[in-house]
Amino acid sequence: MARVPPTPLPAEVPFRDVSLTPQELVRYSRHIGLSEVGEDGQRQLKRASVLIVGAGGLGSPAALYLAAAGVGRIGIADFDTVDLTNLQRQVLHDTDRVGQRKTDSARARLGAINPLVRVETIDEELSAANALDIIAAYDVVIDGTDNFRTRYLTNDACVLLGRPNVYGSVLRFEGQASVFATSDGPCYRCLFPEPPPPGLVPSCAEAGVLGVLPGLVGTIQATEAIKIILGIGETLAGRLLLIDALTMGFRTIRLRRDPGCPACGTREIQSLVDYDELCAPHATAPGHLPGTVQEIAPRDLAERLRRGDPIDLIDVREPYEWRIARIDGARLIPLGQFERAVAEIPPDRDIVLYCHHGSRSRTAAEFLVERGFPRVWNLTGGIDRWSADVDPTVATY
Ligand SMILES: [Zn+2]
């Protein structure tokens, strides 16, 4: 399939033909009073369209605020039904909607908030066959997905079509947000070149998530979408926002477009690929053998390093995390490359693995133990605990 060049916001309706009714002037008066928005900005919002992929924890607040803000056309893509476990965070859905389609629930709720906006529901799974057609019909995409398959698919389609992709993700107490696939900014693949092997990253269903956190991140995504439509302020394009709800720490790190990125750099991805294959269980996917990995406390590791013990210290985090902070003497093997890099790990040495908090590295350690590596330790509490217990000059995030 030929690549569609990036285009400016498609104007289905010429701006000059969009006007605000007296009722709209009243409804949106707090927007119109802002000089950065004004009547012209509100007309831009009315003419604009946003696709929300996933009517879950992130999509819920995003959809509610975009409808309230008067975004003229809102697409909701979700093929799931409302489950009782969703209601702890998916505020788009009510208790009496359990068992119903999420798209129906979303349509009813958004229509009640603002009957002046058009809600379009896409009640099918985004796939390589339909994603380009669906996404091409919208100006901006909000990625509210909770799985790698749809996340890579959405990213690649947005890059091919030149649609800004407002990214958010949450797990436990931590969240991230950015804006990908702008004309000169990085994309999701620049940050995460390939999905981790299945099982190495837990889902919210497995690891849990603080219910209010997707509310926070989804609201940030709605904010970014509105800024993109209005062309105001500075978006998160080229920056990754990291949120820690426990410390209420917010920090942003710079992201660069990767010239070798197959999506937005070399552009070798010219059509959507088989994302089930990309994210499918690998033949050698690690099994979980809980309890088989030894733990080492940061202070004990520091003592061993001080003594000069020969230790292969391996950091399994992502490159952007490595740039924030690292432990002296470590080398980086991101989890996504771990399977392929196993051959480079000498089995006769003591191996200590670490990540941010100790859970990704534990899974990587189980993987090595399963492959017969005799002396493998997981650093308890990860680099975060290392910073607290051993070396406070190591930045936390
Ligand atoms: Zn890229």
Side-chain angles (χ1 to χ4, degrees), residues 186-190 257-258 261 263-265:
C187 79
Y188 182 72
R189 277 186 192 268
C190 295
R257 175 176 278 183
D258 176 3
C261 170
C264 73

Side-chain angles (χ1 to χ4, degrees), residues 25 40 52 59 68 206 275 300 302 307 317 378:
L25 290 171
D40 278 357
I52 299 172
E206 294 158 356
Y275 293 82
D300 296 335
R307 287 201 307 256
R317 299 173 303 154
N378 180 46

